[in-house]
Amino acid sequence: MAIWLDGTDFARYALIPEELLPGWEGTEADEVIDAYVSALRPAGRDVLTLGAEPLSVTWIAEALTFARWCHADDDTGLIPAVLAAGSADGWKDVLSLELGGRYVLADAAYEADRILASLRDAHRPAEALRVELPAGRYRVQSLTVDPDPNTRFMLDRLLPE
C-alpha cells in the first residue's frame, strides 16, 4: 500500500525543492489553485503543483508518477493500474519543467515549519513525502484511469525529455 497525503484543505500540492523548503511560506502557489497541473519558478527553481480538487495524493517512484485518489474502496489496484497505463493511449501533455535533486511533496499552503515537523514525526499521519529525481528536463503528462467501475485515479507522470 502506498503512503497517501490525505487530502488538502486548499486543493493544491507542491513539489518543493528541499533547498527552498526552509523559506516556504505557503502562499507561493496561490495563483494556481484552479489548475490541475502547473508550475511555479520561485528563486529560479521549478516547482510542480497539483491542484484544483482536494484529493489525496501519493508518489510512485518506480513509475515517476503522482496518483490522486478520485474514488476507490482501497488502493490495491493502484500499482497494476499505473503499470498498465504506462503504454496506454490518452496521456495528455501538460507542461515541461527542469527538475532534479531532493524534493518534498506537501500541501502548498503549509508553511515550512509544519512540513518539516511532518517529515520528522513518523507517529502522526503523513503530511509530506520525500521525492528524489535525477536532474533533467521532464514533460508532465496526465491521464485518468478507471481500473474497474468503482475505482478512479488521476495520474500525472514525469517523462525525461
Side-chain angles (χ1 to χ4, degrees), residues 69-126:
W69 187 311
C70 297
H71 58 85
D73 291 334
D74 58 42
D75 68 351
T76 56
L78 175 63
I79 299 299
V82 169
L83 295 175
S87 60
D89 292 333
W91 286 95
K92 292 185 177 131
D93 288 339
V94 182
L95 55 86
S96 290
L97 68 171
E98 279 300 317
L99 298 172
R102 296 174 59 143
Y103 292 82
V104 174
L105 179 67
D107 188 311
Y110 292 168
E111 294 178 359
D113 289 345
R114 181 170 179 174
I115 296 168
L116 291 167
S118 173
L119 291 171
R120 286 190 297 266
D121 187 355
H123 299 294
R124 65 187 220 189

Side-chain angles (χ1 to χ4, degrees), residues 1-47:
M1 297 219 348
I3 297 173
W4 291 89
L5 300 184
D6 193 19
T8 168
D9 295 335
F10 301 101
R12 65 188 177 281
Y13 295 97
L15 185 64
I16 307 163
E18 209 168 73
E19 71 268 13
L20 297 184
L21 189 56
W24 192 260
E25 296 177 359
T27 58
E28 290 83 351
D30 284 353
E31 69 270 11
V32 296
I33 191 169
D34 295 329
Y36 278 92
V37 179
S38 63
L40 308 167
R41 196 160 172 77
R45 292 292 311 267
D46 284 339
V47 173

